[in-house]
Amino acid sequence: MSSRERILGRVRRALADVRPDDTPYEQAVLREYLREHGERSVEETVDLLAENLADYRAIVHRCSAGDLPATIAGMLAARGAKTVLVPPGLETAWLAAADVERVPDRAESSARQLDQLDSVVTACAVAVAETGTIVLDGSPDQGRRRITLVPDHHICVVRVPDQVVSSVPQALELLDPARPLTWISGPSATSDIELDRVEGVHGPRTLEVILVG
Amino acid sequence: MSGTFVGMPAFPKAAHEAVHDQTLRGNLRHATHTIRGKRATAVAEVSDWAALRDAGARIKDHTLRHLDGYLVQLEESVTAAGGTVHWAADADEANRIVAELVKETGESEVVKVKSMATQEIGLNEALEAEGIRAYETDLAELIVQLGKDRPSHILVPAIHRNRGEIRDIFAREMSEWGRPAPDGLTDTPAELAEAARLHLREKFLRAKVGVSGANFMVAETGTLVVVESEGNGRMCLTLPETLISVVGIEKVVPTWQDLEVFLQTLPRSSTAERMNPYTSTWTGTTDEDGPRDFHLVLLDNGRTDTLADEVGRQALRCIRCSACLNVCPVYERAGGHAYGSVYPGPIGAILSPQLRGTASEIDASLPYASTLCGACYEVCPVAIDIPEVLVHLRERVVQGGQVIQGGNKVVLKPAKGHAAERAAMRAAGWAFARPAALRTGQRLASRTRRLHPRSLPGPGKAWSGTRDLPAVPAEPFRDWWQRTHGGKDGAK
């Protein structure tokens, strides 16, 4: 007997008390919780996103679409970044004003090569106001998962209010599970020393989020 | 390598040593009290916590009641998405599968994301025996691994260490494993985190094989979810060419939508955050993004035995948040090592004796490692009634009876150490069934009450060693009730 058959057989014997007409999934799982917490206007939702991002030590900037290239250029200059990693589908206008070397991400770029780069600029798939979370789904304007992980400085552009939802349930509805997703809430952190939160471990230690719109 | 839990003494003995360790007591008190207040704040932020908790419990219960169907569905989804599914009935089989998979890649080292399942099966030790070195990359796991220590907490395995101790371990041991700690390392948490970043960077960048667990597996989509903070998880899940995930069969949930409950309750219960810094989800493999080969090892190792117990099976709802450890008065004083398992605290006290059986001294003693205060039940985000299961397991230890072990029916003998308790209960049962005898006994006890000793002799001595014997009233209650017609006569 294979282990698969052995385990499934054990499960079935263990569940001898469960009748064939056991309550089906739809009725067994009551969803009496809220779809979102509190009522907010669109502006208030964007404000809450900004507030919660900042609460977990992301640096938040707000600007209009027209000012975006200058804003990004200013941030990269302030950081002293010389090289910036660019996902294949990033809008070229976003980096038009930046005085840095643009390094396109290629499938063959190794982790070691990515480690040499100063910054990365990406878009996002959706942002969650209640938790201060941005979600990347690997679309061409966000690139492979590793490019937002290895460089120490990540600039993420969120189009507001279009890409902002209030809650985790609303975000999951919009996301495609077949894509590899990365949910990011602030820069990398740890609570492993005396259960106290410290920012800055393996992921980018500086996360800057630009809310555009 | 880190120590093992084999041959652990019973809980009271191990705890006895721990409670006399002042440093340990101080470290645990500081850490658990810090997180307790924060968790309460994070939970109070969501007005529908009770409904989320209820939904989480129901999703898990439903899944467990139809686990065979959901496992088969998961296997199909993962396979369709390009992954390979393996089944492991016990720890040895899981370790064998992982070792074989690593050998097939030709590599002799792996990077690991913190995983309770791989701790439980002793994967690192098993790989070491096959000539494969496993590097722990979670900060707390790194502290435990470098310190040749044992984990003492589910979320923060090095909770028993304070910053000064961590500094000493890093300064002393890092050079043995790779990049040494920076000169002049101080004990500020930020500097310690930086030291870990530098030490592990090299290992991430060259890693070809990653080993992980998973917090959730979605049956309908074949998606796996890892919830973390540091980014070491993302490193291990995306940089290597081969990813091997070892996951307990109880981690499956039916639908993508179900995650909306747990992604709200887990971070708040665990690190007391609205959301943890990083959550990764992946479904099989993705071209040019992440590992080319993905293997999922589904682990039983006592879970189906636990499932067979209608009262005890609720322990399988556990999402490993560790909120129950942080509020437990026994854990706070005894520490995690006394529980003799990678699952310490209240959840460990009901999980270990079910996963491993109650044959060993430590496992038979774990259901008693509690005051039954119920704080664990109150904070549990999936509403596991831990006190109920503790009492149920105490009954099993004392009375014995039929259980499932390794998939087979076994009849347990009553435990030896509880003869006095059984005799006392039998005597009480006899007396309560005979009102005349009970009355005589009670009157006799009342009349002789001035002569009663303050502690019990013989086998009762241990019990009364830490408790006052209840004072016997001058008149038995039933005599008082009859004499005063239930107090209506106003007579005292």
Side-chain angles (χ1 to χ4, degrees), chain B residues 46 78 83 303 330 427:
Chain B
V46 280
V78 170
R303 284 158 178 76
V330 176

Side-chain angles (χ1 to χ4, degrees), chain B residues 58-71:
Chain B
R58 283 169 184 269
I59 291 166
K60 284 283 185 176
D61 268 354
H62 169 81
T63 314
L64 290 170
R65 290 173 75 81
H66 303 273
L67 191 58
D68 51 336
Y70 286 119
L71 287 173

Side-chain angles (χ1 to χ4, degrees), chain A residues 3 33 150 197 201 205, chain B residues 93 194 197 201 260 273:
Chain A
S3 290
Y33 51 89
V150 180
R197 189 179 153 115
V201 200
R205 284 178 290 186
Chain B
E93 190 176 12
E194 168 74 10
R197 177 185 169 95
R201 197 80 176 175
E260 71 187 21
E273 291 166 308

Side-chain angles (χ1 to χ4, degrees), chain A residues 3-4 17 22 25 31 33-35 37 56 144 148 150 177 183 185 190 192 194 197 201 205, chain B residues 48 65-66 75 93 140 163 194 197 201 230 234 255 258 260 273-274 277 279 283 288 300 313:
Chain A
S3 290
R4 181 184 187 277
D17 61 302
D22 195 49
Y25 172 79
R31 298 187 192 276
Y33 51 89
L34 304 171
R35 300 309 295 170
H37 297 92
Y56 283 160
R144 300 186 294 164
T148 52
V150 180
W183 298 54
S185 309
T190 182
D192 280 356
E194 301 176 4
R197 189 179 153 115
V201 200
R205 284 178 290 186
Chain B
D48 57 342
R65 290 173 75 81
H66 303 273
E75 181 186 39
E93 190 176 12
R163 56 186 75 189
E194 168 74 10
R197 177 185 169 95
R201 197 80 176 175
E230 296 167 15
R234 293 178 67 193
T255 69
D258 293 330
E260 71 187 21
E273 291 166 308
R274 274 177 219 115
T279 297
T283 305
E288 297 187 347
D300 179 350
R313 71 166 61 129

